[in-house]
Each structure stands twice: as structure tokens, then as C-alpha cells.
Amino acid sequence: MRDPNAPELINRSLTDEPELAGIAVRLLRSDDALAGLSEADAGRIVAYMRLIKVAEGQVLTREGEAASNGFMLLVIDGEVTVEGASVGRAEPVVLSVLGPGHLIGETALLDG
């Protein structure tokens, strides 16, 4: 059964959307992502990417999950808020806000 809180997988490759694929290649090569990547290598990575649509406030991943799930997210549009738990606080603390070009889970994907 599908988790109702999980991001919606749009069942098509990012390469099915040439304009978005071009944006993804450019963003992967930005300073916020993998700046030393060649355009050809970025294109190869994009060929493996799938689209997901996320509602505002939806949890994408929790700390440590990317290592066990083996995935990386590239923010193409919008913003992602990174939150952390703080002792003595009921509400999470905002650690960072990531926009287009930022990667999530890339370190876990590369080295577990």
C-alpha cells in the first residue's frame, strides 16, 4: 500500500520533459550542486532522474533515510525547508532553506 504522506511519483523520466531536463543539467552544474560536472556527465545523471511532485509541507525524507534508500533529490523549482529537532522544543528548528540547484541526499548516495 502506498504511503499517503510520500511524495507523488510522476511516472515518467525527467528526459520526457526536455525543458526541465535542460534546467536540471544546468542546475546540476551550479555551485550549489556539482560544479565540476561536465555537461555530458550531468546529462547522463539526468537520464536516470524521475519527476516527483511534492505538496507544501510534505516531508521528503528524514535524517538517515537517504542512506538506506539510495536516492538523491535535485530541487528544480520551489523551496525545501531543512528542519531539525531541538531538545526542549516541541516545534522543529529551521536549519536551512534550499532552492533550485540544491541537492538532498547526495552524500549518502555517494558514500552511504
Side-chain angles (χ1 to χ4, degrees), residues 24-31 33-46 49 72 74 103:
V25 166
R26 182 178 50 81
L27 291 173
L28 274 175
R29 299 181 69 218
S30 71
D31 289 340
L34 305 170
L37 206 58
S38 72
E39 187 168 348
D41 287 341
R44 282 191 270 287
I45 292 170
V46 168
M49 291 183 166
M72 175 180 76
L74 172 65
L103 292 172

Side-chain angles (χ1 to χ4, degrees), residues 80-93:
V80 175
T81 303
V82 178
E83 298 176 338
S86 178
V87 176
R89 292 184 56 132
E91 295 296 317
V93 176

Side-chain angles (χ1 to χ4, degrees), residues 8-30:
E8 176 188 348
L9 178 63
I10 300 171
N11 197 18
R12 67 181 183 271
S13 171
L14 186 56
T15 55
D16 291 343
E17 301 284 340
E19 185 175 336
L20 283 179
I23 292 169
V25 166
R26 182 178 50 81
L27 291 173
L28 274 175
R29 299 181 69 218
S30 71

